[in-house]
Amino acid sequence: MTKGLPTGPLCTRASLAAELRELGVLSGETLLLHSSLSSLGWVCGGPVAVVQALLDVLGATGTLVVPTQTPDNSDPAEWRYPPVPEEWWPEIRDSTPAYDPRTTPSRGMGMIAETVRTWPGSLRSAHPQTSFAAVESRAAAVTDGHATDCRLGEQSPLARLEEQGARVLLLGVGFASCTAFHLAEYRIPSPVVDSARAVLTPAGRRWETVREVSITSDRFEELGADFEERGPGPVVCGRIGAADVRLFSLADAVAHAEVWLAEHRPGTSGSRKSPPAPEPPAGNGR
C-alpha cells in the first residue's frame, strides 16, 4: 500500500540551526538536550542533521550533552515494561552484558541521543544505568567522575552541568523527560533502594547490587508546569520545525524542584525494595 506524502514541515541542517538561534541557544554554552526526532517533522538527514545543527550553533567552545541511560541493565525481577518469566531471571542475571561506555547502546533516549553517543569524539560517563554522553569543549568535565553508586546526584554529570551554568533544551518532549529534576531528589529526604546491574571490573564481568537514592519522574509534568509559571528564571518557549520546545537554566529547574518536591511529593527516610526497572523517560522519541 502506497503511503501518502509527508506533511512536514521540511527541516534541514540550516533551518534547524536558524530556529535554534532564534530560540536563544548561544554559541559557547553547555546544553543538556532531551529530544524527539519524530516531533520535528520531515528532517533531511535525520538525526545526523539535527546534531550537526546543534553543534553549528554551539560552536567549538560549546558542549552538547544527552542522557544515554540503560535501564534494561537491571534486575529482571523488577521489570514491568514488559515483565519476563520468573524462570528466566537467573540466566538473565548471569548473561546480561556488562555496561561498557564505548559500546552499550542507550535505551529509550531517542535517535538523536544515540547519534550523539556515537559521534566522533563523544565521551560517556561511567554509571551503568544513568550515563550521559557529551561532545565538544567541556565534554570531559561533564562526564568524568560519575560515581557508579550515584545515579543522578552530586557525583553525576547533572551536578557538573549545574556548576557550569548549563541550560536544558526540551525538544519535542515534556517535563516528564527533564532529568535535571532528579538532582533535587538527592537534596531532599528520599528513600534508598537496592539497585542490581552487570558491570565491568578489573577481574571481568560481575553482577552487583548497590544502594542508591530512589528516583522517579512521578508528577514531573506538574512540577514543570509550576516551574514554567513561577520558577526563579524564565522558560523560553517556542517551536523548532513542528516541535514544541522549552529552553531554561538547569540550576533554576533544580532549585525550584527542591522546594516543590519537598512540598508536593515528600520522601520518607529509610530504605525499601528496589522499584521496577525505570521506564524510558516519557516523550524521548525516535
Side-chain angles (χ1 to χ4, degrees), residues 123 137-144 160 164:
L123 300 177
S137 177
R138 290 176 289 278
V142 170
T143 57
D144 285 353
R160 306 292 79 76
Q164 294 180 23

Side-chain angles (χ1 to χ4, degrees), residues 38-279:
S38 61
S39 70
L40 286 165
W42 198 91
V43 181
C44 179
V48 170
V50 179
V51 175
Q52 288 173 330
L54 285 157
L55 296 179
D56 288 345
V57 175
L58 293 171
T61 59
T63 308
L64 178 61
V65 185
V66 296
T68 52
Q69 298 178 13
T70 50
D72 48 336
N73 184 9
S74 56
D75 192 340
E78 310 299 340
W79 291 357
R80 300 292 183 270
Y81 311 108
V84 293
E86 184 172 353
E87 60 267 25
W88 294 4
W89 297 353
E91 188 168 355
I92 290 172
R93 293 182 185 120
D94 289 342
S95 303
T96 295
Y99 171 73
D100 185 333
R102 299 165 300 176
T103 59
T104 303
S106 64
R107 179 174 180 266
M109 302 294 104
M111 292 178 65
I112 297 171
E114 265 296 275
T115 301
V116 174
R117 182 186 72 81
T118 60
W119 202 258
S122 177
L123 300 177
R124 192 180 189 189
S125 69
H127 197 282
Q129 294 173 327
T130 56
S131 64
F132 292 78
V135 290
E136 296 298 350
S137 177
R138 290 176 289 278
V142 170
T143 57
D144 285 353
H146 192 174
T148 57
D149 61 352
C150 182
R151 283 188 281 213
L152 299 169
E154 305 301 337
Q155 294 176 282
S156 79
L158 287 180
R160 306 292 79 76
L161 289 166
E162 182 185 46
E163 293 167 358
Q164 294 180 23
R167 290 198 291 175
V168 178
L169 178 62
L170 301 181
L171 177 62
V173 301
F175 280 106
S177 297
C178 183
T179 308
F181 288 153
H182 289 296
L183 182 55
E185 293 180 299
Y186 282 74
R187 296 176 177 174
I188 62 174
S190 299
V192 294
V193 297
D194 291 328
S195 177
R197 64 277 179 98
V199 296
L200 285 175
T201 73
R205 178 203 178 276
R206 181 163 67 90
W207 183 260
E208 69 172 15
T209 300
V210 299
R211 303 292 272 172
E212 293 261 25
V213 169
S214 177
I215 56 175
T216 173
S217 58
D218 180 46
R219 301 190 69 181
F220 273 13
E221 286 290 359
E222 293 175 64
L223 165 57
D226 191 75
F227 168 61
E228 191 169 320
E229 181 181 354
R230 303 191 303 120
V235 176
V236 178
C237 299
R239 286 178 74 83
I240 293 177
D244 293 322
V245 296
R246 294 179 175 91
L247 178 67
F248 51 88
S249 159
L250 184 146
D252 286 347
V254 174
H256 191 79
E258 285 185 58
V259 176
W260 194 94
L261 289 173
E263 179 180 352
H264 294 87
R265 204 191 71 190
T268 56
S269 60
S271 63
R272 55 189 169 98
K273 186 181 177 182
S274 176
E279 190 173 11

